[in-house]
Amino acid sequence: MLPTFLQLLLLAWGLVDPVRGQFPEPTPSPEECTGKQECPVTVYFVLDTSESVALQTRIQGDLVSNIKSFTRDFVNKVVNGAFKNKVKIVWEFGGLHFSDRREEFSRITSSKADFLNALSNIDYIGRGTFTDCALKDMTDNIKQQSRQDTRIHFAIVITDGHVTGSPCGGIQAMAERARDAGIKVFAVSTDDLTNSLQYEQGLKTIANFPHELYRSTYTATSATNSALPINTMDRIIQVMKTESFNDCYKMKCLEYPGGIGLKGFKGRKGEKGRTGDGGDPGLIGRQGDPGIEGPIGFPGPKGYPGMLGDKGEIGTEGKKGIAGLPGRDGINGQKGKLGRIGPPGCKGDPGDAGAPGYPGSAGERGFAGDPGSKGDVGRPGRSGPPGGQGDKGPKGPLGPSGRSGLIGQKGGKGINGPPGPKGDVGRRGDIGSKGSPGSKGNLGEKGDLGNEGVRGLPGEAGLKGEKGDIGLPGPRGSPGLTGGPGLNGSRGDVGEIGSRGDTGPPGPKGDKGRQGFSFPGSRGEQGDEGVEGPNGYLGIKGEMGRKGDQGSKGILGEPGDPGPIGEPGERGSPGGPGGEGSHGPPGDAGLTDCDVMTYVRETCGCCDCEKQCGPLDIVFVIDSSESIGLTNFTLEKNFVINTVSRLGTLAKDPKSNTGARVGVVQYSHNGTFEAVQLNDPKINSLSSFKEAVKKLEWIAGGTWTPSALKFAYDTLIKANKRDKAKVFAVVITDGRHDPRDDDSLLRSLCKGDVIVNAIGIGDMFSREQDDETLKSIACKQDGKVQKMNLFADLVAEEFIDQMEELLCPDPEIICPDLPCKTELAVAPCMQRPVDLVFMVDGSERMGITNFRHVRDFIEKVATTIPLARNNSDATRARIAVVQYGSEDEQQLVFGFSNNETAILNSLATMSYLDSSSNVGSAIIYGIRNLVQRPGPASQAARRGAELSFVFITDGTSGNKSLGEAVDSMRKHDVVPTLIAVGPDVDMDILMLIGLGERAAIYRAADYSQILHSSFFDRLYKWIC
């Protein structure tokens, strides 16, 4: 075998050698094999200097300075020189920085000194973030400014991943455009904060593939690991050098032209190559045939939550729905408060007095005429001379009872009058208590037979009775006489099917059948048991039987149905004129003015009362910078709209000296301020104001708060000031602003004529508010600064209520001047009975100081509310106090009392339980000891009185037995009121105790606030 292989090898060498002899042997050049090939490399930096980067740290612009330091250290690390002793890398640098605009700070240059000098002069822009436009300019600059022999281009994009807009086509499209141009892009995060993780996908979109090389965990700064930026630089430089070597190095010194060789042996299958560079886009091909339906794909990753959309327009009025099914009877509702006694109705207008008639003269007596028809009642004649005393007439019928007259003054005691006639039989008295059995009386004589009573009137014709059941057969009668031959009877009904007859004789033998097919079939399986066959056919009608005997006479049949109504007869001749009828009953009274106005109010609601805050100017200054974010900016607008909706009607004419006016300023960087003016003639209603606010769009730029405050004062407040008008300013910001703005302008609203309220909210990076800036905006008044963690807290009902109380503390309720106005308020305690129970939370969370505040509050109620004169008084109030702790720890401090001195003494001796809290057991205890099984009669609830429970708690309690307690409150018609103190309240438990009535829950920041007059007066009006 081996000699054969050597022979083939020598033969091949002999064929190749003559071919090689036709070309000269090359002489390798020492410089080409030992020299280093030059490899020009371009590195282009893209730096993010938007507001989200510049103002992200406490020291504004500090993060931009760190990015510049990272870029400077990176450039200093790379030097021109050999790599792997094969290529000589020559570095070139260029760069731009961007926000909502782009600024190229250095063209592509090979001079490090020029590049670093230009880098040091960068000042951040501090506005919105348009990353896609920065990538577009980067690609254009590299293609225009690079050397012709540059083989490879790199770009380093340093950004936080946050984007406010995509006016240049989007990040993905511009990143693909850079890759098509042969640019290899590294994405470097500005820092390693946890909040930046939400923007990681955006950074990966910018970077080339594979992400392990071009994105990884690259970061320019780190608050936790100072070595991380250095590792980032070293790894990126290593990747750049390796990629440059792969593109630039070739063994040119061994290249020489050779002859055409023989076809070689088939080599082994090569390894899988790397992914090739993207080619140029091809021509548009023809539309392909529709493919077959592919398999159902795996579910995609969960998307990020979308931004809150704008509130939609009011939809068109829907069609009237079909009538629903009748609902089930509801449960008995809670007993309402007694209504205030309504005002007396309108007094009717007096009628016009008729003119007095003229007295007529007496005429001569004429002849007696025929008796005519009864004439009309004549006018009363003159009084004649007094006649003689006539005979006593018969007693007249009893007249109708007149209306009760006014109660006169009590007269003196009269003399005893003669005994009056026997009165009519009175109504039957009430059933008295059962008396003791009396002694057995003597047997009375038998009474005479009474007279026969009067025959009653005939009753109305009754309805036709239903057909009765068939009666039982009567006894058999005696046989009747033989009758004559009767008529043929009607054909009887078909009788029931008779029993099956006997089997008939076998029939004749049938005809011979035709020849069958003769092939044997396979043996079938044994069949199932057959089902029962159908019933046999109906038998033939039997022969007519003999004539039967004549039957007995039947019972009388039911009366037949009435025949049809006959046709109406001919119309009769008209009758003569009838006599004059008697006077009819008086008609119903017509509608009065009161009735008409009541109907109009209930039908159209056009007479409702309106809330007015008087002459009032309110200016909202809202932050529209990039750090706020689109979702939070939308929440700011909703806050403005919801707050203004609570302030009643706006001024119809913005130039008038009365009514409320509202303006809005949204701000970002300098020169971008937008305003809804106070004196805009188009803003004359709440709906027009809402439209103007909804049209405001997010600016997404820098934060120039001081300049915005000056703009608001000069443009809106100072230029449109009205005499006697209160001016409020509400400023919403995260407290940080661009340091290039003038800090002295923060007090632009502190002129003494504006009440400033500053609302500080943490920004989109979850950083807290800047206290000092907020205090400067609020003119150094701590009570005018309010802090929040989330923008969603702006639109909470509790905060809107607080702003309403702040901006319009004393609203004026204007009702139309209408006749017959009615008051829907509840009657005060002077006119209705109220039994008031204070349920005091004695848990350890309250503390002894707050317990004293609660005790002072109850004392203030006791000295203010009108107390009942005695325990049987049907008006005014009585007070009881229950203190509760754990499930088995309740204390009845005192029962219902109307004695102010006793109440104050009992409160002074009330001791603090300092226990846990279980309100359900306390409710059951209070109802059991004050309503169901009270002690002394003086401590029991009055019948017919309103039973009101006032709970004073921190809003946290155990819920054991709470369901049973709530049912007991409903059963005994308890009216609950809750005073919830502190920020940590359980609204679910409060709503359950309040029987679902949110208006019955009063919130207070601390226990001292319940003694303030504003809080106390509101609660007192609710209770009494």
Side-chain angles (χ1 to χ4, degrees):
M1 180 65 184
L2 183 59
T4 306
F5 175 74
L6 291 175
Q7 292 176 4
L8 293 174
L9 182 61
L10 293 174
L11 178 61
W13 182 262
L15 293 174
V16 172
D17 190 68
V19 177
R20 290 183 58 192
Q22 298 176 8
F23 298 96
E25 287 288 338
T27 304
S29 171
E31 294 182 359
E32 290 181 348
C33 289
T34 59
K36 301 175 182 61
Q37 303 173 32
E38 185 173 298
C39 184
V41 177
T42 299
V43 180
Y44 200 88
F45 292 89
V46 181
L47 311 181
D48 186 350
T49 60
S50 64
E51 188 196 36
S52 63
V53 174
L55 304 186
Q56 189 177 146
T57 57
R58 282 290 182 191
I59 303 175
Q60 284 85 351
D62 184 57
L63 190 55
V64 175
S65 300
N66 292 337
I67 294 173
K68 291 164 59 177
S69 299
F70 174 85
T71 307
R72 182 182 62 251
D73 295 343
F74 186 95
V75 173
N76 289 330
K77 267 182 172 291
V78 296
V79 293
N80 297 338
F83 180 69
K84 293 187 178 181
N85 207 27
K86 299 295 182 182
V87 296
K88 180 182 180 182
I89 299 178
V90 179
W91 301 91
E92 296 176 332
F93 306 99
L96 62 83
H97 68 105
F98 72 96
S99 180
D100 59 351
R101 68 172 189 268
R102 284 79 59 204
E103 294 182 2
E104 187 178 30
F105 62 86
S106 173
R107 293 177 61 86
I108 295 177
T109 176
S110 59
S111 173
K112 283 187 180 182
D114 293 344
F115 176 82
L116 295 177
N117 185 42
L119 176 67
S120 63
N121 295 329
I122 290 179
D123 190 12
Y124 67 87
I125 302 173
R127 290 159 63 167
T129 309
F130 296 160
T131 309
D132 57 341
C133 295
L135 296 176
K136 179 177 180 295
D137 285 9
M138 171 202 75
T139 304
D140 294 340
N141 293 343
I142 291 176
K143 291 167 67 175
Q144 295 171 7
Q145 300 173 16
S146 295
R147 289 168 37 179
Q148 296 294 330
D149 57 345
T150 302
R151 290 178 176 270
I152 189 166
H153 308 285
F154 294 104
I156 300 177
V157 180
I158 306 177
T159 180
D160 60 355
H162 176 252
V163 176
T164 58
S166 302
C168 296
I171 293 179
Q172 185 165 359
M174 292 302 104
E176 292 290 347
R177 183 171 177 264
R179 296 186 192 108
D180 294 341
I183 303 172
K184 300 181 179 181
V185 185
F186 293 87
V188 180
S189 176
T190 54
D191 54 23
D192 58 350
L193 296 176
T194 55
N195 289 50
S196 63
L197 296 177
Q198 59 182 315
Y199 303 116
E200 180 63 28
Q201 187 59 40
L203 294 173
K204 289 183 177 180
T205 303
I206 295 172
N208 277 46
F209 293 103
H211 291 151
E212 290 76 14
L213 290 181
Y214 293 94
R215 170 65 194 107
S216 188
T217 56
Y218 300 149
T219 179
T221 61
S222 176
T224 58
N225 186 2
S226 59
L228 192 57
I230 299 175
N231 295 337
T232 297
M233 286 186 272
D234 293 341
R235 186 170 181 187
I236 292 177
I237 293 173
Q238 184 64 30
V239 173
M240 286 183 176
K241 289 181 177 180
T242 303
E243 291 288 333
S244 302
F245 176 80
N246 294 337
D247 280 8
C248 294
Y249 176 67
K250 287 185 179 180
M251 291 288 291
K252 292 184 178 180
C253 63
L254 300 180
E255 294 179 357
Y256 58 90
I260 299 175
L262 298 176
K263 183 177 181 181
F265 299 102
K266 183 177 181 180
R268 65 182 180 85
K269 184 177 181 180
E271 297 179 356
K272 184 177 180 180
R274 66 179 182 86
T275 305
D277 298 330
D280 296 331
L283 300 177
I284 299 175
R286 68 174 181 84
Q287 183 175 359
D289 298 329
I292 61 173
E293 183 178 0
I296 298 175
F298 296 103
K302 183 177 180 181
Y304 294 105
M307 294 185 292
L308 182 66
D310 295 333
K311 186 176 180 181
E313 302 293 336
I314 298 176
T316 57
E317 184 177 0
K319 297 180 180 179
K320 182 175 181 181
I322 60 174
L325 298 174
R328 292 180 293 180
D329 293 339
I331 60 175
N332 294 331
Q334 178 185 342
K335 182 179 179 181
K337 296 185 178 181
L338 296 176
R340 178 175 291 177
I341 300 173
C346 288
K347 184 177 180 180
D349 298 328
D352 298 330
Y358 296 99
S361 58
E364 297 179 357
R365 184 180 182 87
F367 298 103
D370 298 330
S373 59
K374 186 175 181 180
D376 298 331
V377 179
R379 289 180 297 177
R382 290 181 297 177
S383 301
Q389 184 174 4
D391 298 330
K392 185 175 181 181
K395 184 178 180 182
L398 184 66
S401 65
R403 292 181 296 177
S404 301
L406 300 175
I407 300 173
Q409 296 179 353
K410 184 176 182 180
K413 184 175 182 180
I415 58 174
N416 294 330
K422 187 176 181 180
D424 298 330
V425 179
R427 68 175 181 84
R428 184 173 182 179
D430 298 332
I431 300 173
S433 58
K434 184 176 182 181
S436 58
S439 60
K440 186 173 183 181
N442 299 325
L443 184 64
E445 298 179 356
K446 185 176 182 181
D448 298 333
L449 185 64
N451 297 328
E452 184 179 358
V454 182
R455 184 181 181 86
L457 298 176
E460 297 178 356
L463 299 176
K464 180 181 177 181
E466 298 180 356
K467 184 177 179 180
D469 299 332
I470 298 175
L472 297 173
R476 183 179 182 90
S478 58
L481 301 175
T482 304
L487 300 176
N488 291 334
S490 59
R491 182 168 181 174
D493 298 330
V494 178
E496 297 179 357
I497 300 174
S499 58
R500 186 183 181 98
D502 299 332
T503 305
K509 187 175 183 181
D511 298 332
K512 184 177 182 181
R514 63 179 178 176
Q515 183 71 29
F517 301 101
S518 58
F519 55 87
S522 60
R523 181 182 179 84
E525 298 177 355
Q526 183 175 1
D528 298 329
E529 185 178 356
V531 298
E532 185 178 355
N535 295 331
Y537 295 106
L538 185 64
I540 60 174
K541 186 175 181 181
E543 297 178 356
M544 182 180 294
R546 66 179 180 85
K547 183 177 180 181
D549 297 334
Q550 184 176 0
S552 59
K553 185 176 181 180
I555 59 175
L556 185 64
E558 296 179 0
D561 296 331
I565 300 174
E567 296 180 359
E570 296 180 357
R571 184 173 184 139
S573 59
E580 182 178 357
S582 61
H583 290 287
D588 297 332
L591 293 177
T592 63
D593 291 344
C594 298
D595 297 330
V596 174
M597 293 311 303
T598 300
Y599 176 78
V600 170
R601 280 199 301 269
E602 293 178 352
T603 304
C604 65
C606 57
C607 307
D608 294 338
C609 299
E610 293 180 348
K611 177 181 178 180
Q612 293 184 3
C613 296
L616 181 67
D617 288 344
I618 306 174
V619 176
F620 291 91
V621 184
I622 59 177
D623 192 344
S624 185
S625 62
E626 183 193 14
S627 62
I628 295 298
L630 177 59
T631 301
N632 295 335
F633 177 70
T634 306
L635 290 174
E636 285 182 318
K637 295 196 296 182
N638 291 340
F639 162 74
V640 173
I641 292 174
N642 294 346
T643 302
V644 175
S645 300
R646 296 284 191 91
L647 302 180
T649 56
L650 301 182
K652 303 296 182 185
D653 182 9
K655 296 182 180 179
S656 66
N657 292 325
T658 59
R661 303 186 306 175
V662 185
V664 181
V665 173
Q666 73 153 339
Y667 69 93
S668 185
H669 49 270
N670 195 19
T672 60
F673 307 146
E674 299 179 11
V676 177
Q677 294 288 345
L678 284 170
N679 61 346
D680 190 343
K682 298 179 181 178
I683 309 296
N684 55 5
S685 65
L686 184 59
S687 59
S688 57
F689 175 77
K690 289 181 179 179
E691 285 296 323
V693 174
K694 288 179 181 178
K695 290 180 180 177
L696 296 176
E697 296 184 357
W698 181 39
I699 300 174
T703 309
W704 291 61
T705 308
S707 298
L709 298 177
K710 185 177 187 304
F711 172 84
Y713 184 81
D714 295 342
T715 308
L716 273 74
I717 299 175
K718 183 178 179 181
N720 302 300
K721 185 175 286 189
R722 297 185 295 173
D723 295 337
K724 300 180 181 180
K726 237 181 203 181
V727 182
F728 286 90
V730 180
V731 183
I732 306 174
T733 180
D734 57 9
R736 288 188 294 281
H737 62 277
D738 198 307
R740 293 172 292 184
D741 203 358
D742 188 357
D743 285 351
S744 63
L745 299 180
L746 285 172
R747 298 177 58 84
S748 296
L749 300 176
C750 303
K751 309 290 185 183
D753 54 349
V754 182
I755 302 173
V756 187
N757 293 274
I759 303 175
I761 311 175
D763 64 7
M764 61 186 294
F765 300 103
S766 300
R767 284 167 173 77
E768 296 180 355
Q769 314 86 352
D770 191 336
D771 291 346
E772 290 303 320
T773 302
L774 292 172
K775 289 180 181 178
S776 298
I777 294 174
C779 308
K780 300 297 181 180
Q781 299 183 20
D782 294 338
K784 300 297 182 181
V785 175
Q786 301 179 24
K787 300 178 183 178
M788 299 179 179
N789 295 325
L790 300 173
F791 276 82
D793 296 338
L794 275 175
V795 293
E797 284 294 325
E798 292 83 359
F799 185 69
I800 299 294
D801 293 340
Q802 186 178 348
M803 292 304 300
E804 178 186 3
E805 183 72 21
L806 184 69
L807 299 176
C808 187
D810 299 314
E812 184 179 5
I813 307 300
I814 304 297
C815 295
D817 190 11
L818 302 172
C820 319
K821 289 190 291 187
T822 58
E823 296 259 353
L824 297 180
V826 177
C829 295
M830 292 285 292
Q831 301 176 12
R832 63 189 175 95
V834 178
D835 282 345
L836 203 60
V837 182
F838 286 94
M839 307 291 290
V840 180
D841 186 351
S843 64
E844 59 183 354
R845 290 185 304 276
M846 178 179 289
I848 188 63
T849 303
N850 294 329
F851 180 75
R852 294 194 185 101
H853 288 317
V854 173
R855 191 168 57 190
D856 295 341
F857 172 78
I858 301 176
E859 289 180 358
K860 188 174 182 180
V861 174
T863 55
T864 306
I865 199 168
L867 295 174
R869 289 182 285 266
N870 51 59
N871 287 324
S872 60
D873 191 355
T875 60
R876 302 173 180 255
R878 298 191 309 165
I879 296 177
V881 175
V882 174
Q883 185 183 186
Y884 64 92
S886 62
E887 183 180 354
D888 300 323
E889 196 172 4
Q890 297 89 23
Q891 176 189 1
L892 179 61
V893 181
F894 58 88
F896 288 115
S897 174
N898 61 322
N899 189 330
E900 181 178 334
T901 304
I903 292 173
L904 297 181
N905 291 337
S906 299
L907 289 173
T909 58
M910 182 172 65
S911 59
Y912 173 42
L913 288 180
D914 192 14
S915 178
S916 57
S917 175
N918 192 295
V919 69
S921 303
I923 295 172
I924 296 173
Y925 175 85
I927 292 177
R928 182 178 300 156
N929 288 275
L930 293 173
V931 182
Q932 292 178 339
R933 296 195 300 273
S938 61
Q939 295 184 354
R942 290 174 289 180
R943 176 175 293 181
E946 176 187 309
L947 186 59
S948 180
F949 279 21
V950 180
F951 298 85
I952 306 177
T953 176
D954 61 356
T956 304
S957 174
N959 56 4
K960 188 173 182 180
S961 305
L962 188 56
E964 179 186 352
V966 171
D967 292 341
S968 184
M969 288 172 60
R970 293 185 188 276
K971 181 179 178 181
H972 292 89
D973 295 329
V974 175
V975 179
T977 302
L978 295 97
I979 303 175
V981 184
D984 250 0
V985 298
D986 191 336
M987 284 302 296
D988 293 336
I989 291 182
L990 294 182
M991 289 293 291
L992 198 60
I993 300 173
L995 304 181
E997 185 68 40
R998 183 178 288 273
I1001 301 175
Y1002 287 78
R1003 299 286 301 277
D1006 51 55
Y1007 282 93
S1008 63
Q1009 185 180 349
I1010 65 177
L1011 294 171
H1012 293 177
S1013 58
S1014 59
F1015 183 91
F1016 182 84
D1017 291 344
R1018 283 195 302 126
L1019 183 67
Y1020 181 80
K1021 288 178 182 178
W1022 171 265
I1023 296 174
C1024 193

